[in-house]
Amino acid sequence: MDHEFLADIDDEYEKLVIQLNPPRVTVDNTSSRKATLVQVGSAKRQGSLLEVVQVLTDLNLTITRAYISSDGQWFMDVFHVVDQSGNKIHDGEVIDRIQKSLAARASISQSSRRSVGIQASSEHTSIELVGRDRPGLLSEIFAVLSDLKCNIVAAEVWTHNLRMASVVYITDEDRGGPIDNSDRLANIKHLLRYILVGDRDKRSAKTAISVGVTHTQRRLHQMLYADRDYDRSDAAGEDRSKLVVNVENCTEKGYSMVNMRCDDRPKLLFDTVCTLTDMEYVVFHATVIVEGPEAYQEYYIRHVDGSPISSEGERQRLVLCLEAAIRRRNTEGVRLELCCEDRVGLLSDVTRIFRENGLSVAQAEVTTRGSQAVNVFYVTDSSGNPVHSRMIEAVRNEIGQAILQVKDETHAKASAEESGSFSLGSLFRSRSEKLLHNLGLIRSSS
């Protein structure tokens, strides 16, 4: 039977299930003293968990705990969330946005779900770039775009294991709006690839241009995963002491179990769920607990076809991919925030000054709000080491002390005593075991 016909039947069936069982979103500010509880229930389909986590992440909410269960045809997720200051969500407008956004996401049809987060835009053209990272690369990319009369309205850049991935949104400098001339687009691609290739990356440098793009940060994960940044030998020297990922099979229930422990940071849950989803694993049960500076995540997963992990090679690959997903967004270097009136060529000029003063951009987020440019850069020296303060001051003097601010996010973390660390892990395990016992995933010892 024709596969497209079967897919259409599946689409219509899922639409009917969603109509008969509309998503339920509740926001509870009374059950917990420390956090707002967001509970989401809906008909189950692949990608549902990622959509919900993506909405909460895009609203800049911090998830301190999560309990996920989705056996059968229904999923139920409970998230403990706080705002960026660590407070409960009391703003009625924010609560309303959570409810509407999550309900809308949970209602997306199967056909839309195949490209979760794709938002075709009539306002810009998006460019995807992957290549070998090197000092000055971002400066060269922005300079080429400026010379080609492209205005950069937004961009996000990640580097990991000496690889660089970037999604850049551009408009035509003269008339605004997307660039749709095929010859001009081909020339942009050609010149950018020439910059990416340099003299060392003739095979793996990639460029792509489209009028729409998957959720930007999800796309960056996909690009680096496709680039196999997770298994490059460059990772050999990384400090893995604070990151533990274990994968084993829970044969009694037919699941594979993933345990992770690492330093907590914003968007950590999105990064891990995104990776599991794009590797075509389904999360059936999960527990996420953040205690102090550490985060613990436990997932019970299967393949989309219902089978657990079947080989040691696959197990090792999943461990490497999850480690990479966590490390890609780990911010290294000094955080610099640039806020000023936007103008054509601004990013080209700023990153050129970085390069001329020996700074290398490890991560960047470029946004335009009205007429204002609001940009964040994490910079190191050209060897990837911490930057000396005099280098930062030289750059600030050249760009402008008032518009380029240093935001030092490093803060002293009290080293937990051995007994304290053990009791924290025990706390997680006891709560996790209680939840899993209730779900029937482990047996009582009695």
Side-chain angles (χ1 to χ4, degrees), residues 212-277:
V213 68
T214 305
H215 183 274
T216 303
Q217 293 167 7
R218 182 180 184 188
R219 186 64 191 134
L220 288 167
H221 277 301
Q222 291 173 339
M223 291 160 64
L224 285 168
Y225 170 69
D227 192 52
R228 299 181 67 87
D229 71 320
Y230 55 86
D231 67 353
R232 294 183 180 275
S233 58
D234 307 309
E238 283 189 337
D239 176 19
R240 297 174 181 270
S241 59
K242 294 184 180 181
L243 171 58
V244 178
V245 180
N246 292 314
V247 178
E248 58 188 68
N249 279 341
C250 182
T251 54
E252 183 180 345
K253 294 293 183 179
Y255 295 107
S256 294
M257 182 173 63
V258 180
N259 281 293
M260 287 181 281
R261 187 183 77 246
C262 63
D263 287 343
D264 187 39
R265 61 160 174 77
K267 304 184 180 182
L268 178 63
L269 182 59
F270 171 84
D271 294 337
T272 53
V273 172
C274 180
T275 298
L276 290 170
T277 303

Side-chain angles (χ1 to χ4, degrees), residues 99-111:
Q99 290 174 319
K100 288 180 178 177
S101 296
L102 292 180
R105 281 280 183 181
S107 301
I108 296 175
S109 67
Q110 169 81 5
S111 56

Side-chain angles (χ1 to χ4, degrees), residues 23-28 38-40 55-56 59 92-106:
R24 303 168 189 169
V25 180
T26 60
V27 178
D28 174 8
V38 178
Q39 182 172 296
V40 185
V55 169
L56 295 174
L59 289 171
E93 219 173 282
V94 174
I95 291 174
D96 187 54
R97 283 178 61 198
I98 294 172
Q99 290 174 319
K100 288 180 178 177
S101 296
L102 292 180
R105 281 280 183 181

Side-chain angles (χ1 to χ4, degrees), residues 82-99:
V82 294
D83 63 18
Q84 291 179 302
S85 300
N87 300 317
K88 295 171 69 172
I89 314 300
H90 293 290
D91 189 325
E93 219 173 282
V94 174
I95 291 174
D96 187 54
R97 283 178 61 198
I98 294 172
Q99 290 174 319

